[in-house]
């Protein structure tokens, strides 16, 4: 009976266990198809919020399980990415709340602000293109820092050692770089809306 409600079908008393298994397998396949198509984007989305690989791995694993548990609430034919983003955002907030001792990427206020913008309109591809445009406009030292930290996934300590700068100076530079890029993307998005 539960399956009939989930799938919106009336099952008569003649339904066999084989039919139920087929319906369950169909649900599993639908989830796997949607999830696998969006897997890398979901991870990147999580990482953008926390900027820490270990934290992103933990949140991704937790989010994957929640997406599966909640999949029966997903309406087939609607935007899976947008639905998943809501769950990702809640998992990130929960993780941050439970791990206050960690400094995880964006502030809570900025996190809320970004999610509010995404809830209004799903423009991830546009934001990515704008980020790439903003990145190309960076001065050479910022380009190198972006490459080392975001592309090569080097830790601030490793960058400090390579450049001969203090870890504090590198972290401060990363923070300024992140703000510069967010502000640039925000200005360009607002310009597109005008």
């Amino acid at each position: 009976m539960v399956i009939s409600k989930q799938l919106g079908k009336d099952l008569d008393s003649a339904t066999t266990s084989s039919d139920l298994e087929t319906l369950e397998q169909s649900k599993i396949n639908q989830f796997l198809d949607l999830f696998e198509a969006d897997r890398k984007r979901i991870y990147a989305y999580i990482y953008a919020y926390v900027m820490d690989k270990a934290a992103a791995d933990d949140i991704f694993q937790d989010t994957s399980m929640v997406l599966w548990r909640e999949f029966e609430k997903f309406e087939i034919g609607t935007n899976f990415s947008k639905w998943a983003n809501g769950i990702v955002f809640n998992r990130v907030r929960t993780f941050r709340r439970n791990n206050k001792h960690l400094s995880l990427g964006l502030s809570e206020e900025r996190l809320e602000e970004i999610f509010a913008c995404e809830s209004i309109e799903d423009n991830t591809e546009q934001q990515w293109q704008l980020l790439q445009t903003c990145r190309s406009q960076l001065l050479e030292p910022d380009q190198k820092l972006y490459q080392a930290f975001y592309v090569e996934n080097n830790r601030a300590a490793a960058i400090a050692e390579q450049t001969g700068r203090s870890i504090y100076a590198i972290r401060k530079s990363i923070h300024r770089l992140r703000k510069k890029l967010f502000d640039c993307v925000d200005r360009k998005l607002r310009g597109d809306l005008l």
Side-chain angles (χ1 to χ4, degrees), residues 140-177:
E140 187 177 344
D142 286 340
Q143 290 267 6
K144 288 180 179 178
L145 181 59
Y146 183 96
Q147 179 71 24
F149 190 74
Y150 292 110
V151 177
E152 297 169 3
N153 292 322
N154 290 319
R155 295 193 177 276
I159 298 170
E161 189 176 302
Q162 291 169 356
T163 61
R165 296 171 60 197
S166 73
I167 192 166
Y168 174 77
I170 295 297
R171 286 184 177 153
K172 195 169 182 178
S173 294
I174 290 168
H175 178 75
R176 278 195 307 263
L177 174 62

Side-chain angles (χ1 to χ4, degrees), residues 24-49:
E24 186 62 26
Q25 189 59 48
S26 173
K27 176 185 168 189
I28 292 168
N29 290 340
Q30 285 177 327
F31 174 79
L32 289 175
D33 289 346
L34 292 167
F35 181 76
E36 286 300 320
D38 214 25
R39 172 188 201 100
K40 288 181 181 176
R41 188 206 58 80
I42 290 170
Y43 184 86
Y45 188 70
I46 292 167
Y47 187 81
Y49 279 130

Side-chain angles (χ1 to χ4, degrees), residues 3-162:
I3 292 176
S4 68
K5 289 179 185 176
Q6 290 174 352
L7 299 175
K9 294 183 178 181
D10 294 325
L11 296 177
D12 60 33
S13 58
T15 301
T16 65
S17 63
S18 174
D19 292 337
L20 294 175
E21 288 172 13
T22 301
L23 290 172
E24 186 62 26
Q25 189 59 48
S26 173
K27 176 185 168 189
I28 292 168
N29 290 340
Q30 285 177 327
F31 174 79
L32 289 175
D33 289 346
L34 292 167
F35 181 76
E36 286 300 320
D38 214 25
R39 172 188 201 100
K40 288 181 181 176
R41 188 206 58 80
I42 290 170
Y43 184 86
Y45 188 70
I46 292 167
Y47 187 81
Y49 279 130
V50 296
M51 299 306 211
D52 179 88
K53 186 171 178 358
D57 290 348
D58 290 345
I59 296 168
F60 180 76
Q61 183 176 358
D62 181 49
T63 300
S64 300
M65 292 171 29
V66 171
L67 287 169
W68 169 244
R69 280 195 312 262
E70 300 289 319
F71 187 65
E72 66 188 37
K73 296 177 183 175
F74 174 69
E75 205 173 304
I76 300 296
T78 61
N79 188 332
F80 181 81
S81 295
K82 196 168 191 173
W83 176 76
N85 285 354
I87 292 174
V88 167
F89 180 73
N90 289 329
R91 301 317 309 158
V92 167
R93 281 186 15 188
T94 299
F95 187 88
R96 290 169 64 104
R97 210 175 301 121
N98 294 338
N99 295 281
K100 289 185 180 194
H101 63 283
L102 298 175
S103 176
L104 297 171
L106 302 170
S107 69
E108 195 68 29
E109 296 80 31
R110 188 69 174 154
L111 188 68
E112 295 278 348
E113 188 178 305
I114 290 171
F115 186 73
C117 290
E118 289 172 354
S119 296
I120 294 168
E121 182 180 348
D122 187 19
N123 55 4
T124 308
E125 184 62 33
Q126 179 188 14
Q127 288 175 339
W128 178 253
Q129 294 302 323
L130 292 175
L131 175 63
Q132 296 311 309
T133 300
C134 291
R135 178 183 170 203
S136 70
Q137 296 169 353
L138 293 172
L139 297 175
E140 187 177 344
D142 286 340
Q143 290 267 6
K144 288 180 179 178
L145 181 59
Y146 183 96
Q147 179 71 24
F149 190 74
Y150 292 110
V151 177
E152 297 169 3
N153 292 322
N154 290 319
R155 295 193 177 276
I159 298 170
E161 189 176 302
Q162 291 169 356

